[in-house]
Amino acid sequence: MDCIFCKIIAGEIPSFKVYEDENVLAFLDITQGTKGHTLIIPKKHIKNVYDLDEETAANLFKVVPKIANALKKSFNPIGINIVNNNDKPLQQVFHYHIHLIPRYENDGMKLSTINNYGKFSNDYFNNLSDLIKKSI
Ligand code: 5GP
Ligand code: ZN
């Protein structure tokens, strides 16, 4: 399969691994958006969150605090963003991965949410939550 992360798992292309177990691999993101930027991936090839089965999700996410704590201990960031991009144009590599992005003062990393507090009515919130609940 022509998947760069499967090739990393197989050792066919090099990577800087920080953690590995039967189901999961964590390695440094090649771009190092901030110091310690790490990716955590399942060894099973899964395209993105829409295809993630519960067992793989459980095996994967149990590793997240382990790596987050290691990054905190290693680099003393002011915080860590955890990000996962799904589907084009957000997603570049179609093998599910979680970004752990340690943050530092003035690191220039642009990750933010938009604050629309107070702009929407209770009806609006009710409509949204109903739609989501019906879709589960
Ligand atoms: P996304 O799919 O979430 O947009 O981003 C994919 C991420 O994979 C990017 O942050 C990119 O730097 C990283 N990446 C792409 N190719 C490689 C590679 O060959 N090695 C490593 N270590 N990271 C990669
Ligand atoms: Zn893959």
Side-chain angles (χ1 to χ4, degrees), residues 27-104:
F27 57 100
L28 294 178
D29 190 294
I30 205 162
T31 59
Q32 284 302 286
T34 64
K35 186 170 67 181
H37 181 183
T38 298
L39 301 176
I40 308 179
I41 65 175
K43 288 191 173 173
K44 192 168 163 188
H45 179 87
I46 289 168
K47 193 169 77 174
N48 56 31
V49 73
Y50 306 116
D51 293 344
L52 193 57
D53 61 273
E54 288 186 5
E55 191 187 350
T56 304
N59 285 331
L60 189 67
F61 275 85
K62 76 178 180 200
V63 173
V64 172
K66 199 190 293 289
I67 307 302
N69 277 296
L71 293 172
K72 187 178 181 196
K73 196 170 160 188
S74 302
F75 305 120
N76 192 31
I78 56 172
I80 297 181
N81 288 126
I82 296 176
V83 178
N84 157 233
N85 297 313
N86 299 283
D87 268 352
K88 281 180 187 165
L90 306 178
Q91 187 175 5
Q92 312 273 309
V93 175
F94 285 83
H95 181 129
Y96 186 82
H97 53 280
I98 302 167
H99 294 259
L100 269 64
I101 306 174
R103 299 300 304 275
Y104 308 93

